[in-house]
Amino acid sequence: SSSAGHLLPEVNPPLCLPSEADLPSWPVDVSVAADRLEARSGGSCAATALPAEVRLAPSSCRGLHRLPGEGLHLRMRLGRPPPSADLGFTLRESLKPQKNYVFYCQSCGDIIEKDRKFLRVLPLPSENWSALVEEWCCHPNPFARSTLHPQHDDCFLGDTFFLLNSGNESHKSKENTRVICKRCKTMLGETASADTIKYYVTEVIIRPSEASFSPTPRSQFVQSMVAQCLVKLSSAKSTFRFTIKGDNGKIYILIWLLNSDTLLVESSGSSSSHSVFTLFGDTCMPSFGPVRTWNAVKVLYQSCIKSRNKDLADAWEDDMGVHPLKFPSETCLELLLILGLSTTSLPPSLRCMNSFQVRNSCY
């Protein structure tokens, strides 16, 4: 498989054919063409055609073996066009100055901000920017007393959040600094200062005012936004290890990014030609429909809830090569559940690598 953090046009993915319960008898004959994979057994044939942009290299087939309870596994070189540079929705690309936007609660679709126009949409520096200034300056830090708070017509973009001037006070919780949705009471963000609100990218959907709102399944949205954060940071900072922290400061998950060029393929057809082709099945994909492909990231992860893996979490927190990502604590638990469900959908032999569990997230 390809190196973590790099987008390559070819990969050697694991292919999984049906288990014993899905095939009428053994032995099974497997035939591979550039655009097709077939499994024949006892006069029956299960086959699938690949999407037009995906091609197999039959001569690269290797590692064909049978695992009890899982079926047949093999590896093969797969060719496809490299993902485009602007693949996937990113907040930085979607927000433009001088345009009107509507902000929706991702959980229930309630409008949070209506017809908001920004004169400036600016990226924030990394969280440790002040410490870096002190290292590089030979005189006292000129920004020591400065604060990066947006004015009324500003939007500042961070790694996992964006900052707005709090023109609407109705979403502030009077008990603490949490910002909640009036309708469903979901945490949307927190108050960064008396006049600044921090919204998390996993909790808010932003659309141009003229565009209609269409809901996205919660698990699909969360994993997509987190995957985009991993891809962006790994590309910009050559960082491949991340801690997922809650707004309470606790570490919930350790994530190690392996690949940002994983391709997921799922097909489903009639009863005479049902799906036999899977590249790490994933919860974000529909159960029925034509052959489709999804770009995804492949990660290893460890749970840190209830003091699990505490020593490793402490070591990662002290490691400068590990980048922290902060989300609402409830979202961290959601993400951990999504990771777990995806892992259990894999064949048992492919669920773990060393002491980490394996997961793919679409984006």
Side-chain angles (χ1 to χ4, degrees):
S1 56
S2 53
S3 302
H6 297 277
L7 301 179
L8 300 178
E10 294 184 332
V11 293
N12 288 292
L15 312 180
C16 306
L17 300 179
S19 65
E20 293 87 337
D22 298 317
L23 292 171
S25 63
W26 294 91
V28 176
D29 291 327
V30 180
S31 61
V32 181
D35 62 346
R36 188 176 181 85
L37 180 67
E38 292 184 354
R40 297 179 180 272
S41 175
S44 299
C45 177
T48 187
L50 298 177
E53 70 274 14
V54 178
R55 285 294 178 267
L56 297 175
S59 61
S60 68
C61 181
R62 61 183 176 84
L64 178 62
H65 64 285
R66 174 189 173 191
L67 291 179
E70 294 187 19
L72 298 177
H73 291 231
L74 67 150
R75 287 181 177 270
M76 192 178 315
R77 185 165 295 279
L78 177 127
R80 59 167 175 138
S84 60
D86 59 350
L87 182 64
F89 169 87
T90 61
L91 188 63
R92 190 165 298 181
E93 294 167 351
S94 65
L95 280 174
K96 304 295 183 183
Q98 305 296 338
K99 291 190 65 176
N100 291 329
Y101 294 94
V102 179
F103 293 64
Y104 300 90
C105 169
Q106 198 282 323
S107 297
C108 70
D110 193 32
I111 294 178
I112 304 167
E113 305 275 352
K114 189 173 183 180
D115 293 330
R116 195 74 186 261
K117 180 187 288 187
F118 302 108
L119 297 180
R120 299 190 302 173
V121 179
L122 303 173
L124 287 167
S126 59
E127 294 185 4
N128 60 344
W129 70 274
S130 183
L132 292 176
V133 169
E134 293 178 355
E135 292 291 334
W136 284 94
C137 285
C138 59
H139 50 78
N141 184 352
F143 307 106
R145 296 185 179 181
S146 301
T147 55
L148 298 177
H149 294 309
Q151 301 301 312
H152 180 71
D153 297 321
D154 292 341
C155 180
F156 292 171
L157 306 178
D159 292 335
T160 63
F161 62 88
F162 53 95
L163 299 180
L164 300 181
N165 190 271
S166 54
N168 187 347
E169 300 288 333
S170 60
H171 298 282
K172 285 188 180 181
S173 170
K174 293 181 173 60
E175 290 77 16
N176 49 44
T177 60
R178 293 163 62 93
V179 178
I180 61 175
C181 172
K182 292 188 298 183
R183 177 189 290 175
C184 67
K185 308 305 179 185
T186 296
M187 178 183 176
L188 305 174
E190 55 194 60
T191 53
S193 69
D195 59 354
T196 303
I197 291 182
K198 174 195 291 186
Y199 288 115
Y200 288 102
V201 296
T202 53
E203 314 307 317
V204 175
I205 292 179
I206 304 173
R207 293 289 183 267
S209 295
E210 64 275 11
S212 59
F213 173 78
S214 57
T216 303
R218 176 66 181 165
S219 62
Q220 181 178 337
F221 184 81
V222 169
Q223 67 176 318
S224 175
M225 298 309 295
V226 173
Q228 289 172 39
C229 290
L230 300 181
V231 171
K232 180 184 70 173
L233 290 169
S234 66
S235 176
K237 302 182 180 182
S238 297
T239 298
F240 306 108
R241 290 182 296 160
F242 304 86
T243 56
I244 305 298
K245 286 188 172 184
D247 60 282
N248 56 7
K250 295 182 179 179
I251 296 178
Y252 284 79
I253 312 170
L254 306 178
I255 289 183
W256 197 323
L257 177 64
L258 288 184
N259 299 97
S260 58
D261 60 352
T262 297
L263 180 70
L264 300 177
V265 178
E266 184 184 73
S267 65
S268 54
S270 63
S271 58
S272 62
S273 177
H274 58 275
S275 172
V276 298
F277 185 80
T278 304
L279 284 83
F280 287 131
D282 194 88
T283 55
C284 71
M285 297 186 292
S287 300
F288 301 97
V291 178
R292 296 181 59 188
T293 62
W294 288 262
N295 291 282
V297 297
K298 181 186 296 182
V299 302
L300 304 179
Y301 70 96
Q302 289 273 26
S303 168
C304 295
I305 62 174
K306 297 182 179 179
S307 298
R308 293 192 182 104
N309 302 300
K310 185 178 185 304
D311 292 342
L312 183 59
D314 291 342
W316 278 35
E317 192 166 25
D318 295 335
D319 192 330
M320 293 295 292
V322 179
H323 192 87
L325 296 177
K326 182 180 176 183
F327 300 100
S329 299
E330 295 86 348
T331 300
C332 296
L333 293 174
E334 286 182 90
L335 179 60
L336 187 57
L337 177 60
I338 293 169
L339 293 170
L341 290 174
S342 176
T343 298
T344 56
S345 72
L346 302 178
S349 63
L350 301 177
R351 294 176 184 175
C352 296
M353 182 179 293
N354 297 329
S355 60
F356 285 79
Q357 298 182 77
V358 179
R359 161 73 167 129
N360 297 283
S361 293
C362 300
Y363 64 96

